[in-house]
């Protein structure tokens, strides 16, 4: 599927409110694993309809919608990174600590909406990005994907507060990644003492609309 077509599929999810109703957890992750082999939104809704008798159907539906949306966006973002000449995909696609290497530096990537709980303005966050990066690490879910290794964050911000919708703006994300990679330098990375062995390397790619 082409980027524009996938964008259109992801934007179909916009007609439903973006709510989790529960902290992301391993149990519900297991119950919604079908999102990984479901590409089209209408197919996703059909698979959810077959679960309507589930005692927590509404919760399960929101959970699956969010996981599908986030997974398809994140997978495409990883493809955008790995399409850049300086980037080499990790040999093990299931490695949760590394998605790709940039100049031999391993990185995981994560797309995050600008967090309300952070309690500071966009201006302050952009001015003191190391503080926001530290917050993103320490506030992450303690489930499967928790780690303190190198990570690049795409942080999304929309002026109307619906930051999550930018995950579907794939062309915009692709352009921001290209711009970032044109100016990438290890010297510009934030170094945080999160682990005893060596500093964690990280950075923020801002996507603002």
């Amino acid at each position: 599927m082409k980027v524009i077509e996938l964008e259109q599929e992801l934007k179909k999810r916009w007609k439903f409110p973006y709510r989790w109703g529960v902290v992301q957890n391993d149990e519900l992750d297991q119950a919604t694993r079908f999102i990984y082999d479901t590409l089209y939104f209408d197919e996703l809704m059909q698979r959810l309809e077959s679960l309507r008798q589930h005692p927590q159907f509404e919760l399960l539906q929101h959970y699956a919608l969010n996981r599908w949306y986030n997974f398809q966006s994140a997978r495409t973002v990883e493809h955008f990174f790995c399409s850049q000449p300086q980037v080499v995909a990790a040999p093990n696609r299931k490695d949760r600590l590394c998605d790709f290497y940039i100049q031999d530096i391993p990185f995981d990537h994560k797309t995050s909406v600008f967090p309300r709980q952070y309690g500071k303005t966009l201006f302050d966050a952009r001015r003191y990005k190391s503080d926001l990066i530290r917050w993103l690490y320490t506030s992450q879910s303690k489930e499967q994907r928790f780690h303190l290794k190198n990570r690049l964050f795409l942080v999304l911000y929309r002026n109307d507060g619906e930051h999550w919708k930018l995950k579907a703006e794939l062309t915009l994300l692709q352009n921001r990644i290209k711009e970032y990679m044109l100016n990438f330098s290890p010297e510009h990375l934030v170094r945080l003492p999160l682990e005893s062995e060596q500093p964690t390397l990280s950075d923020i790619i801002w996507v603002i609309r």
Side-chain angles (χ1 to χ4, degrees), residues 110-190:
K110 182 172 178 60
T111 304
S112 299
V113 300
F114 187 76
R116 258 184 330 181
Q117 304 92 325
Y118 180 54
K120 298 182 182 179
T121 66
L122 176 64
F123 175 81
D124 288 335
R126 297 186 74 183
R127 188 177 181 185
Y128 304 108
K129 69 177 178 181
S130 61
D131 184 67
L132 175 57
I133 289 173
R134 183 184 294 274
W135 188 93
L136 289 168
Y137 270 107
T138 57
S139 302
Q140 65 183 306
S141 167
K142 300 302 187 289
E143 299 290 338
Q144 290 183 35
R145 288 209 68 192
F146 176 87
H147 70 73
L148 299 174
K149 301 298 184 182
N150 301 342
R151 178 174 270 172
L152 293 179
F153 294 94
L154 273 78
V155 178
L156 315 180
Y157 186 95
R158 266 185 35 154
N159 288 330
D160 63 2
E162 296 203 89
H163 314 312
W164 67 277
K165 288 186 175 179
L166 290 179
K167 292 183 180 182
E169 299 283 0
L170 299 179
T171 304
L172 175 62
L173 299 180
Q174 183 178 36
N175 290 337
R176 285 296 296 116
I177 290 168
K178 286 181 178 178
E179 291 169 8
Y180 178 81
M181 291 307 307
L182 283 173
N183 299 291
F184 178 84
S185 172
E187 288 72 29
H188 296 157
L189 295 170
V190 172

